[in-house]
Amino acid sequence: MDYEMQSRRLAEIAAKLLEDETVEAVLGLRNNPEAGWPTPYCARTPQDAERLVWNEACYTNLAFYLTEMRGKTAIVAKPCDVRSIINLISENQLDRDNFIIIGIECEGKRKDGKPAPGCDACPSSIPGFWDIAIGADGSDTWCDLPMAQTGENVTQWAKKSTVEERFDRFLKEINQCILCYACRQACQGCYCVSCFMDRKATPWEQIDADTGSKIAFHLTRAMHLAGRCTDCGACEKVCSSGVNLKYIYKGLSEFVEETYGFKAGVNPEATPVMNRYEADDPQVAFLGGDCIVGI
Amino acid sequence: MSAYEMRSNFGPLHVLTGNQVRDALEDVLQKFTVVAPVMADNKLVYDEVNDVSDIVLNDALPYKSPKDVVFPRVEDVMRFLENRVEEAQVIKPVLLVGAKPCDLAAMKVLDEVFTGEQGRYKDSFYSNRRDFLIIVGMNCREKKSGCFCEERGINPAFSQDCDGFLTLQDDGAVYEPLTEKGADLFSGATAASENSVSPGEETLVLNTSEAEVFTAMPWEKYAEGCIGCGTCTFICPTCHCFNLRDSEKKGIVTRTRVWDSCMYPKFTLHAGGHNPRTRKYERFRQRVLHKYLYIPENYGCTACTGCGRCIRSCPGGLNIRNTVLDIQRRLAEKREVHV
Amino acid sequence: MSEQAEFINPAPSDPSTGASEEWTPRIIAFLCNWCSYAGADLAGTSRIQYPPSIRVIRVPCSGRVNPQYIIKALADGADGVMVSGCHPGDCHYLEGNYYARRRFAVLKRLLSLAGFHPDRVQFTWVSASEGAKFAEVVSTVTEKIRVLGPSELGGRDGA
């Protein structure tokens, strides 16, 4: 990885796009010494473009910000950002004509000296699609770096573990949660105007901060993200309490891929997996079914 | 009256060796419920302590503030039974050890808001807990990225807003009792006080009016990165907005107080459906002005202590200090032009 | 961190969790209006016996069962949840149960991952003419959950 070359080329490209008025804004990251890591930044003038950086701590998923932008935008996107963008396009949340993707090669980011959440399972260093490419060496060709892919296989873990072990792991994470909803806010898939957690219309929906409510929140969120999670790790990256629940989302992604052959963030034309059905879907969950679902 | 005279009423200084600090902590652990900085999942937090060896007394600042000792995240405040109403009681004395000067200053702001020294509203649930709380402060020798307590007029080496102050040194510590409650918590070789209290000058303040900044400042630009997660308000030592919820279980209605956050879109949603703060910049503006303008107007103190927690934790990289500095700069420019 | 405030009088204990002779699971049953609810009716009018462990909630379609309902029931301490709808192909709304089938498969995997025993949530198809099958299903489900014992979260507040 040549971050310096990548940063330089990124700044050049961004400055050019802004100068030509091809786009109104370039969404990227800038250095932020007070925060301690690069934070989201929206460059609007060619001079601003110089502040855009690219280094090993640029782990923020910018797809969320893209949904908020007005006017034509260019987004600096690594593979996980592009997966998220594809997911949003397939759900009609983004108009492909309204933005330009500056795809940037990434071999995994680091947070607090460790691989950032999600990066250890990333399948490829090249974004799914792009308009302008910035390769690992700063050129306009991809280097296709080998990926470590050391992330845990949740299904395998679940098959080996007991119910108690799984419950303990889940409760251990849940107990640290303070229900601040940062994970929901940072998630590309959580774009509902009115989240189920914010609706307090009926008594049964009431949310306190007890264990039951935390379970209800995290499980329902996981359910809503089934087949939609792009494994970008944004939920764990923003969590200020250190709740690591990505394994649940990942486990569901693995299940959906294995059972229905669907992977989120691959095909922008695809109908989301939970929005369709096949008449011969397996009866795995049902009484008398072969119950492979039950692990 | 000099600071020394005022403080000496509660006994002399105690010079403790490292072992004596541990023994003293062992001792207080027998008498009180102790809340102190402990490591939990690689993060330093204020939490209840069961074992002295868990306590981490050093220069790191716990990532969450100690406010939930007196203002818990979730608290049952009253119950409605068939024919009567019951209020919650607190009976357990709690000892908070290792609060940094910035957090002590924050506790003073909360006291001001909840216990109404100026004859305002008095929150019985807060003051109940506060009455049973003993605080031992601790010095802070290291400035973290994003810290700006000195600009907020807080001396990281010493604070009087506690019952006793522990000054960590390279070998051991010095304990200085400041109130009757803190008089005999730690004991060691006695010495005369030499600490001098030098409250710094508050340079990061907003001397302005709402009319001057409400629409004139580029709030939209300041709040660009906000994702509305509310992390800043939850880890802030002075944020104190709450919501009351009633829930019914088996015929008993319990009223619960839970933290709320002005950074949520639903915070200001009215019953009729109107929402006065729908945009994220409006919510960020509320947070900044509440800390730097409204609380100073109402209580005479600024509700930001410069602990820097929100700056370090914000996923969007929002920075309250830079925002206030920028407002100061713009105001100064504007006034110059007028002259 | 900080302990909850205390009230002078402790909350009255739940009579149903007291010293009872034999523990019966509390199961929330979501029944589709057009098939399974009618099936349950038929079981009743045919005087077929089945364990009194289910609390029935009638829904228009198994596709109407929001996974949140099931999660909420478990999180609030139900010992088990049962959902029953029309057989695939027989849905009154043509395709509601097909969507439900995918949803339930994912939900069941999700609950397993989070450490809820997979047997705590049961899905079945029961038609309006299958009174005997309904009784059999309830007996099977009750037995499966009885073996598991009370919910891990049951002590929380007794749903």
Side-chain angles (χ1 to χ4, degrees):
Chain A
M1 289 311 282
D2 193 338
Y3 289 120
E4 207 175 304
M5 283 304 289
Q6 282 187 314
S7 293
R8 202 174 306 159
R9 208 168 113 76
L10 171 60
E12 275 168 23
I13 291 170
K16 185 153 188 312
L17 287 172
L18 289 163
E19 222 160 55
D20 301 350
E21 293 182 0
T22 319
V23 296
E24 284 171 34
V26 177
L27 203 49
L29 296 145
R30 69 169 167 94
N31 269 329
N32 188 340
E34 286 105 337
W37 74 90
T39 50
Y41 179 65
C42 188
R44 291 179 195 276
T45 64
Q47 291 75 41
D48 284 354
E50 277 166 36
R51 299 186 66 185
L52 293 169
V53 294
W54 193 251
N55 59 37
E56 66 163 22
C58 291
Y59 48 71
T60 306
N61 184 344
L62 295 168
F64 159 79
Y65 293 101
L66 196 54
T67 60
E68 282 193 342
M69 298 302 291
R70 281 162 288 173
K72 189 137 182 170
T73 311
I75 181 171
V76 181
K78 52 190 181 302
C80 53
D81 297 33
V82 172
R83 289 201 301 272
S84 307
I85 291 169
I86 291 175
N87 185 51
L88 289 169
I89 295 173
S90 75
E91 294 175 0
N92 300 323
Q93 296 304 308
L94 287 177
D95 185 350
R96 186 66 184 89
D97 298 334
N98 267 343
F99 59 93
I100 289 176
I101 296 176
I102 305 175
I104 194 157
E105 194 157 2
C106 165
E107 60 169 359
K109 299 293 171 206
R110 296 181 77 76
K111 186 180 187 235
D112 305 332
K114 284 178 295 202
C119 291
D120 53 2
C122 193
S124 168
S125 69
I126 306 172
F129 60 58
W130 66 92
D131 299 306
I132 297 167
I134 301 179
D137 54 0
S139 70
D140 55 1
T141 48
W142 302 120
C143 300
D144 200 1
L145 303 166
M147 301 302 280
Q149 295 213 53
T150 49
E152 80 171 313
N153 183 316
V154 182
T155 312
Q156 272 172 20
W157 163 77
K159 286 194 166 140
K160 270 186 284 173
S161 59
T162 63
V163 177
E164 289 74 24
E165 278 166 14
R166 297 199 291 270
F167 193 61
D168 287 348
R169 179 171 178 184
F170 183 61
L171 269 197
K172 186 182 144 266
E173 301 296 347
I174 287 287
N175 284 338
Q176 299 176 57
C177 174
I178 58 170
L179 283 179
C180 71
Y181 308 141
C183 46
R184 173 189 81 186
Q185 295 300 124
C187 180
Q188 47 87 17
C190 281
Y191 51 71
C192 286
V193 176
S194 186
C195 176
F196 71 97
M197 283 304 271
D198 288 337
R199 279 187 275 119
K200 292 159 194 157
T202 53
W204 71 266
E205 278 182 325
Q206 259 198 3
I207 299 303
D208 310 320
D210 58 7
T211 310
S213 299
K214 290 181 195 171
I215 290 176
F217 169 61
H218 287 288
L219 289 188
T220 311
R221 199 175 98 81
M223 192 64 211
H224 289 177
L225 282 174
R228 302 173 60 231
C229 172
T230 54
D231 209 20
C232 68
C235 47
E236 287 190 7
K237 286 169 197 159
V238 300
C239 184
S240 61
S241 308
V243 178
N244 299 326
L245 276 176
K246 198 169 66 61
Y247 77 97
I248 296 262
Y249 310 132
K250 182 148 188 296
L252 283 192
S253 300
E254 287 168 9
F255 174 73
V256 165
E257 195 180 350
E258 163 195 327
T259 318
Y260 305 113
F262 181 89
K263 207 163 159 44
V266 175
N267 179 6
E269 310 285 319
T271 312
V273 68
M274 302 306 278
N275 288 17
R276 58 188 163 91
Y277 65 87
E278 302 291 339
D280 56 350
D281 273 344
Q283 300 265 22
V284 283
F286 291 81
L287 201 60
D290 54 3
C291 253
I292 61 151
V293 206
I295 297 175
Chain B
M1 185 168 67
S2 82
Y4 172 63
E5 282 168 325
M6 203 172 78
R7 286 181 282 140
S8 65
N9 293 341
F10 303 100
L13 288 186
H14 294 271
V15 181
L16 301 109
T17 62
N19 281 342
Q20 279 174 318
V21 173
R22 248 193 46 176
D23 292 347
L25 287 171
E26 198 89 65
D27 188 47
V28 290
L29 210 54
Q30 306 295 320
K31 296 183 203 152
F32 304 98
T33 302
V34 176
V35 174
V38 292
M39 286 304 279
D41 201 53
N42 288 328
K43 274 194 167 142
L44 194 64
V45 293
Y46 290 107
D47 206 346
E48 223 175 281
V49 181
N50 299 316
D51 190 351
V52 172
S53 56
D54 292 343
I55 301 178
V56 183
L57 295 183
N58 61 17
D59 290 309
L61 183 70
Y63 91 100
K64 274 195 275 185
S65 82
K67 70 177 169 187
D68 48 358
V69 178
V70 273
F71 177 45
R73 163 121 174 64
V74 188
E75 175 182 34
D76 290 346
V77 289
M78 62 200 295
R79 286 198 317 203
F80 304 88
L81 296 125
E82 215 165 280
N83 47 12
R84 62 183 194 284
V85 172
E86 266 183 11
E87 263 194 28
Q89 310 283 319
V90 176
I91 0 104
K92 207 152 88 178
V94 175
L95 179 71
L96 171 63
V97 180
K100 297 282 159 77
C102 51
D103 289 338
L104 296 171
M107 199 69 91
K108 223 171 117 185
V109 177
L110 291 179
D111 285 351
E112 205 63 64
V113 174
F114 280 121
T115 61
E117 292 292 310
Q118 297 179 346
R120 291 163 197 264
Y121 165 75
K122 189 175 162 84
D123 184 285
S124 61
F125 309 106
Y126 178 91
S127 44
N128 262 347
R129 285 181 193 274
R130 190 69 179 84
D131 290 345
F132 278 106
L133 180 69
I134 307 165
I135 307 176
V136 174
M138 192 173 73
N139 62 334
C140 179
R141 292 172 295 188
E142 184 195 303
K143 197 176 167 195
K144 267 73 66 183
S145 75
C147 277
F148 56 101
C149 59
E150 277 157 340
E151 288 169 43
R152 289 286 322 118
I154 290 159
N155 178 0
F158 184 75
S159 168
Q160 277 203 9
D161 307 323
C162 51
D163 299 300
F165 198 85
L166 205 56
T167 307
L168 290 188
Q169 290 169 341
D170 293 334
D171 48 347
V174 176
Y175 179 70
E176 181 168 1
L178 293 167
T179 69
E180 209 155 327
K181 281 201 232 167
D184 42 61
L185 288 175
F186 293 78
S187 53
T190 58
S193 173
E194 27 183 278
N195 252 338
S196 65
V197 189
S198 54
E201 195 200 340
E202 291 186 29
T203 56
L204 198 71
V205 286
L206 280 185
N207 292 317
T208 178
S209 65
E210 189 180 18
E212 209 174 1
V213 291
F214 201 70
T215 49
M217 296 298 150
W219 292 107
E220 238 167 301
K221 192 168 152 276
Y222 296 149
E224 208 162 45
C226 179
I227 60 170
C229 65
T231 301
C232 49
T233 54
F234 281 37
I235 55 168
C236 175
T238 64
C239 271
H240 53 261
C241 287
F242 60 82
N243 195 2
L244 288 167
R245 304 238 178 101
D246 290 352
S247 56
E248 189 247 304
K249 255 156 210 168
K250 292 197 216 76
I252 299 172
V253 177
T254 311
R255 179 160 294 175
T256 313
R257 172 154 93 177
V258 292
W259 289 358
D260 206 341
S261 166
C262 57
M263 303 308 277
Y264 293 157
K266 300 285 157 76
F267 182 72
T268 44
L269 182 65
H270 295 181
H274 174 60
N275 193 346
R277 288 204 288 268
T278 47
R279 307 281 307 279
K280 65 184 182 185
Y281 80 87
E282 294 167 331
R283 299 192 284 273
F284 182 64
R285 174 174 66 196
Q286 165 66 19
R287 181 169 145 81
V288 175
L289 292 187
H290 194 205
K291 300 239 174 279
Y292 279 90
L293 206 62
Y294 307 145
I295 293 227
E297 262 173 30
N298 291 325
Y299 299 98
C301 53
T302 302
C304 175
T305 66
C307 68
R309 287 186 174 96
C310 54
I311 297 173
R312 286 187 293 271
S313 310
C314 179
L318 269 64
N319 189 321
I320 194 167
R321 172 173 173 264
N322 288 353
T323 305
V324 175
L325 283 175
D326 192 64
I327 296 173
Q328 277 183 339
R329 188 179 57 78
R330 280 166 194 272
L331 286 174
E333 274 172 16
K334 203 169 128 197
R335 281 169 194 156
E336 246 163 52
V337 172
H338 276 278
V339 172
Chain C
M1 173 201 321
S2 40
E3 82 292 356
Q4 281 288 292
E6 282 167 31
F7 293 100
I8 302 158
N9 297 314
S13 61
D14 182 4
S16 65
T17 52
S20 59
E21 329 72 63
E22 203 196 346
W23 176 76
T24 329
R26 276 175 299 189
I27 302 168
I28 311 297
F30 294 98
L31 304 183
C32 138
N33 178 50
W34 304 101
C35 290
S36 301
Y37 195 81
D41 246 2
L42 183 62
T45 47
S46 317
R47 316 265 159 151
I48 307 171
Q49 297 249 332
Y50 60 84
S53 53
I54 59 167
R55 275 69 167 161
V56 178
I57 296 172
R58 179 158 67 155
V59 290
C61 176
S62 51
R64 174 65 186 95
V65 179
N66 188 331
Q68 202 188 343
Y69 299 168
I70 299 169
I71 291 165
K72 178 76 178 169
L74 289 173
D76 272 3
D79 298 315
V81 177
M82 175 183 138
V83 184
S84 186
C86 308
H87 285 274
D90 291 349
C91 180
H92 184 80
Y93 306 100
L94 307 179
E95 50 181 20
N97 57 0
Y98 284 126
Y99 288 112
R101 185 166 59 183
R102 275 203 173 184
R103 217 174 286 152
F104 294 155
V106 172
L107 177 66
K108 199 152 177 177
R109 170 59 64 98
L110 168 63
L111 292 170
S112 307
L113 283 173
F116 289 90
H117 198 286
D119 281 351
R120 288 215 187 272
V121 187
Q122 299 286 355
F123 305 108
T124 62
W125 312 125
V126 173
S127 83
S129 60
E130 294 176 321
K133 187 183 170 193
F134 183 81
E136 190 196 312
V137 161
V138 175
S139 309
T140 319
V141 169
T142 307
E143 199 39 49
K144 276 178 185 280
I145 294 170
R146 194 202 304 281
V147 172
L148 296 177
S151 157
E152 293 86 344
L153 298 161
R156 206 171 65 85
D157 55 25

